[in-house]
Amino acid sequence: MIAPKQAKPTLPLIDEYCENYKSLFSDVRTYEAFKNIHVGILSEIKRKTLPEIAKILGLENAQGLHHFLTRSPWDIHQHKNSRIQLILNHLKGRGIRVIIDETGDPKKGKKTDYVARQYIGRLGKVENGIVSVVAYGLIDGITFPILFEVFKPQKCLKPGDVYKTKPQIAAGLIEEMVHLGFQIELVLADSLYGESETHFLNKLEELELLYMVSIRSNHGVWLPEGQSVSANEWTTFPRNMSQGKTETRYIREVVFGEKGRRTY
């Protein structure tokens, strides 16, 4: 009997992680390509293209990597389910905070689906690119992606597509996380979601989730006749920045009329 061919090793960290998904791949070549793409993604090369990844791996060309993404016999939904179950197994029922944000990548040309001129956060400007809404988990100071969905601009919709705003996409991701069994302690989001009462905040309250979201300084609130705005004194607190620095920030509570379930 001939022993089955084993996949070529890459890096211990990547080999150990990818072992969790080995059963999803029916042949060694596909599994090797899966590991190689992980090496490329985590490498220091600036352009994470298949030809560049193939080059740093010493491959003759990127054909095998391209075949892995377009024709290989593996199911992305099975991979997603395995990844989610792996995260849940590590969490062991612990609660997490969820951060909603977008991630965008500039793209030239029109070959990639849903590429359009839109705001790309990491560039800080409108540019041709693709944007996804991402639900990140936060626990013990570690941030990790859980679910994402590509934002589909109205002018890029294909037959069968349904247009959804980014807050609608975010609400769907949160609801899916609850159904998957994640214990969500708090939801954090910026003003794009914080000012979407109908499509986002109402869904969080329907799911009985606590949340802390940003609003713009000119955010408007309607007050019943005879009620007024009140606020407490400004209080300082230390803000720990990602670079290891600490800055002093200020916070106060503003109450519009009678104090209700939402504070500002």
Side-chain angles (χ1 to χ4, degrees):
M1 179 180 291
I2 300 176
K5 183 181 177 181
Q6 297 298 312
K8 295 178 181 178
T10 57
L11 301 172
L13 174 66
I14 292 175
D15 289 343
E16 181 180 348
Y17 173 75
C18 290
E19 183 72 23
N20 295 289
Y21 304 97
K22 187 176 181 180
S23 62
L24 301 179
F25 305 102
S26 59
D27 61 85
V28 173
R29 286 187 178 181
T30 303
Y31 181 51
E32 286 179 342
F34 175 70
K35 296 203 296 179
N36 286 337
I37 284 182
H38 277 75
V39 174
I41 291 173
L42 295 178
S43 70
E44 295 182 353
I45 57 175
K46 293 183 179 180
R47 300 187 68 233
K48 312 288 187 178
T49 62
L50 298 184
E52 289 298 316
I53 292 175
K55 186 183 300 183
I56 66 167
L57 289 169
L59 304 177
E60 290 186 12
N61 53 57
Q63 184 176 351
L65 301 179
H66 185 267
H67 184 273
F68 168 79
L69 294 177
T70 57
R71 298 182 182 180
S72 290
W74 62 282
D75 190 303
I76 187 63
H77 300 293
Q78 290 181 354
H79 177 271
K80 172 189 170 183
N81 293 338
S82 296
R83 182 177 59 83
I84 293 298
Q85 192 57 55
L86 186 63
I87 295 173
L88 288 170
N89 290 343
H90 279 280
L91 289 175
K92 297 179 180 178
R94 294 179 65 191
I96 61 171
R97 296 182 179 186
V98 175
I99 303 168
I100 296 294
D101 201 2
E102 310 98 56
T103 180
D105 290 298
K107 291 282 186 181
K108 294 182 179 180
K110 300 180 179 179
K111 292 185 178 181
T112 303
D113 291 342
Y114 310 116
V115 167
R117 283 193 62 80
Q118 53 190 320
Y119 183 76
I120 307 296
R122 67 188 183 91
L123 298 181
K125 61 180 180 178
V126 174
E127 191 58 82
N128 207 55
I130 188 168
V131 173
S132 296
V133 179
V134 186
Y136 297 92
L138 173 63
I139 189 170
D140 296 336
I142 300 172
T143 305
F144 52 96
I146 297 177
L147 295 176
F148 77 94
E149 184 174 327
V150 173
F151 171 67
K152 303 174 182 179
Q154 285 184 305
K155 60 184 178 182
C156 299
L157 295 179
K158 301 180 181 299
D161 285 343
V162 176
Y163 175 72
K164 291 189 290 185
T165 65
K166 292 173 184 176
Q168 284 177 308
I169 293 174
L173 296 178
I174 294 290
E175 188 168 32
E176 183 178 356
M177 288 183 63
V178 171
H179 292 158
L180 287 169
F182 285 93
Q183 302 301 312
I184 301 175
E185 296 178 343
L186 181 69
V187 178
L188 304 167
D190 64 22
S191 60
L192 174 65
Y193 308 93
E195 298 193 327
S196 178
E197 181 169 355
T198 302
H199 294 145
F200 188 67
L201 298 185
N202 285 350
K203 174 57 68 175
L204 297 184
E205 293 182 352
E206 176 189 320
L207 296 170
E208 299 182 344
L209 296 175
L210 293 176
Y211 59 87
M212 184 181 295
V213 294
S214 296
I215 56 175
R216 293 173 294 179
S217 59
N218 62 350
H219 181 81
V221 177
W222 289 99
L223 283 176
E225 186 177 353
Q227 295 190 15
S228 60
V229 179
S230 61
N232 58 15
E233 297 294 328
W234 286 106
T235 303
T236 61
F237 71 96
R239 170 71 184 275
N240 298 320
M241 313 303 287
S242 59
Q243 301 86 352
K245 298 180 180 179
T246 300
E247 295 183 1
T248 299
R249 297 296 177 90
Y250 301 84
I251 189 171
R252 76 192 303 191
E253 180 183 25
V254 182
V255 180
F256 293 86
E258 298 293 335
K259 190 166 184 177
R261 69 184 188 279
R262 292 181 184 167
T263 58
Y264 297 83

